[in-house]
Amino acid sequence: MTDSDSSSPLEQLKLYVFKGDEQQTPTLEVFIPEQLNPDYGMYVWPCAPVLAQYVWHHRKEIMNKNVLELGAGTALPGVVAAKCGARVVFTDDAHQPLCLENSRKSCEVNGIAGAEFIAVTWGRFTKGLMSLQKLDLIMASDCFYDNKDYEDIIVTVSFLLDKNPGAKFWCTYQERSSDDSIEDLLQKWELRGSHVSLASFGADSASVAGSNQPGSHTIHMLEITKMSPYTFVAGCVC
């Protein structure tokens, strides 16, 4: 990860490098504008490079797919998806307009045209949320950082998966406490989560995509889908 000359004392560009194979896929370089600002969505969190690496690993799968990033902020995973040929909708909290503006800046810096930017507040069924077109994939990095927001996030994801049969939710989260869990909420909203090994997509390292992230933080990768009507959980049919 390198820093460029900043346009202001509080802003910098970070470089993330996603390695391709020598014969078919060139290396992808992504620059992300980051501001030293207390708002969560103004700088890159350790989970973002891990999710972006997962997106890159599945670059052929997401080409021409409709993707939505929740709580996009600096939008590294969404930018990688767009560079891989996906049609991406970037969303962030309606009460944090600067975060969504940062998503827009990330797209501009990386030459992405045609992306959509929509204010979506977790747990609220706003006009923007209701007007979304067909989605194949929803994703989010480190949205599960404050447990007061957990159910609002799950409700939003459940709604989107109900509206888009067959869609998946990819998310990364940082382990901050062994007591934190979303398992009960997933079952309540008829969702099923599967853990994905970081080693399976080249993210089992303190340095992902040429950066110094996630460092010493413990990051988990989940793939979440809707339960089928006959999924068994704890001895019950859900």
Side-chain angles (χ1 to χ4, degrees), residues 41-188:
M42 304 303 284
Y43 48 90
V44 181
W45 287 56
C47 285
V50 176
L51 180 57
Q53 178 67 28
Y54 192 67
V55 171
W56 177 245
H57 184 75
H58 291 277
R59 55 192 176 274
K60 294 180 181 178
E61 178 183 334
I62 68 168
M63 184 180 293
N64 297 319
K65 299 297 186 182
N66 297 311
V67 177
L68 179 140
E69 185 173 5
L70 288 172
T74 52
L76 175 60
V79 167
V80 172
K83 298 295 283 187
C84 292
R87 295 177 290 271
V88 183
V89 179
F90 297 87
T91 72
D92 215 310
D93 192 345
H95 302 101
Q96 300 286 346
L98 288 179
C99 294
L100 201 55
E101 182 59 29
N102 223 33
S103 300
R104 194 185 305 274
K105 283 184 179 180
S106 292
C107 289
E108 291 174 353
V109 167
N110 291 283
I112 295 168
E116 293 184 66
F117 304 89
I118 299 176
V120 171
T121 301
W122 303 328
R124 298 191 179 182
F125 294 88
T126 59
K127 182 179 179 180
L129 182 67
M130 302 297 288
S131 66
L132 288 169
Q133 301 300 307
K134 179 183 181 298
L135 297 171
D136 301 296
L137 174 66
I138 302 115
M139 59 184 184
S141 64
D142 214 3
C143 285
F144 294 107
Y145 56 82
D146 190 335
N147 55 20
K148 71 177 177 59
D149 295 321
Y150 286 6
E151 187 154 23
D152 285 341
I153 298 167
I154 295 295
V155 166
T156 301
V157 170
S158 181
F159 168 78
L160 290 171
L161 293 178
D162 274 334
K163 189 178 178 183
N164 297 278
K168 299 176 181 179
F169 176 49
W170 293 350
C171 72
T172 48
Y173 68 94
Q174 179 179 327
E175 183 179 313
R176 295 179 171 86
S177 169
S178 58
D179 296 329
D180 279 347
S181 174
I182 61 171
E183 183 177 352
D184 290 343
L185 289 172
L186 291 178
Q187 292 187 21
K188 176 180 177 180

